[in-house]
Amino acid sequence: MRLVTYMLVLCIVPYFGLGQNKITGKVVDQLGFPVYRASVEINGTDIVTYTDYDGSFLLNSEKDFHWKINIKSKGYKPESFFVLSGGNAGNIVLEYDADIKKLLDGSSSLHQKFYWDSWNEAILFPRSENLLASVFSLSN
């Protein structure tokens, strides 16, 4: 009787994993850094997941041949990608959108507020003559 039970269990176990196909991959930016919390969805379905701190994702699907996935994240251009059977998408590179490119190139107004090279040198590093004059005027 035990042998029959074991055989039944062994025959049923493969059917539990048969209906689920896994799609895995990693989302990175143009510099090779992982993109955290990018949404990854299977096109035409409501199956959505988000990348982890390492940029990795895992999707489960009923479909078993190939998938079209859509990747979106703030600051990047949306990307569509085809995944063939096997379910490994590998590294998916997202391009920066126009606003982030402007910021990185230094042509944005934010660049002037946050980078040292654009600050007024007279405020941060006063000339030595002015500094000496102010020190001597304080001492008198």
Side-chain angles (χ1 to χ4, degrees):
M1 187 67 180
R2 270 191 184 170
L3 183 62
V4 172
T5 306
Y6 288 132
M7 293 301 287
L8 282 174
V9 169
L10 290 176
C11 290
I12 294 173
V13 168
Y15 290 106
F16 291 121
L18 191 61
Q20 295 292 322
N21 295 299
K22 295 180 181 180
I23 305 167
T24 60
K26 185 174 181 177
V27 179
V28 296
D29 65 6
Q30 291 174 315
L31 299 174
F33 294 112
V35 178
Y36 176 66
R37 297 288 296 168
S39 69
V40 182
E41 66 178 356
I42 299 175
N43 192 34
T45 67
D46 55 351
I47 301 171
V48 179
T49 190
Y50 296 93
T51 57
D52 61 6
Y53 68 94
D54 195 28
S56 301
F57 66 90
L58 171 69
L59 281 167
N60 292 320
S61 172
E62 299 286 328
K63 194 175 173 185
D64 64 348
F65 181 65
H66 67 277
W67 305 269
K68 180 180 179 183
I69 57 175
N70 301 319
I71 301 119
K72 298 177 198 168
S73 183
K74 190 167 186 156
Y76 300 93
K77 293 180 182 177
E79 179 75 30
S80 293
F81 192 79
F82 286 98
V83 181
L84 299 177
S85 62
N88 188 1
N91 283 352
I92 299 171
V93 179
L94 292 184
E95 289 185 36
Y96 297 116
D97 67 1
D99 294 333
I100 298 296
K101 281 185 181 180
K102 269 199 239 179
L103 182 65
L104 292 174
D105 291 340
S107 59
S108 171
S109 63
L110 287 176
H111 183 273
Q112 295 172 352
K113 292 179 183 177
F114 294 109
Y115 290 99
W116 285 90
D117 61 349
S118 62
W119 287 15
N120 188 351
E121 291 183 9
I123 295 171
L124 293 177
F125 305 106
R127 294 186 156 192
S128 59
E129 303 92 37
N130 295 342
L131 183 62
L132 290 174
S134 65
V135 168
F136 285 123
S137 68
L138 291 176
S139 63
N140 291 336

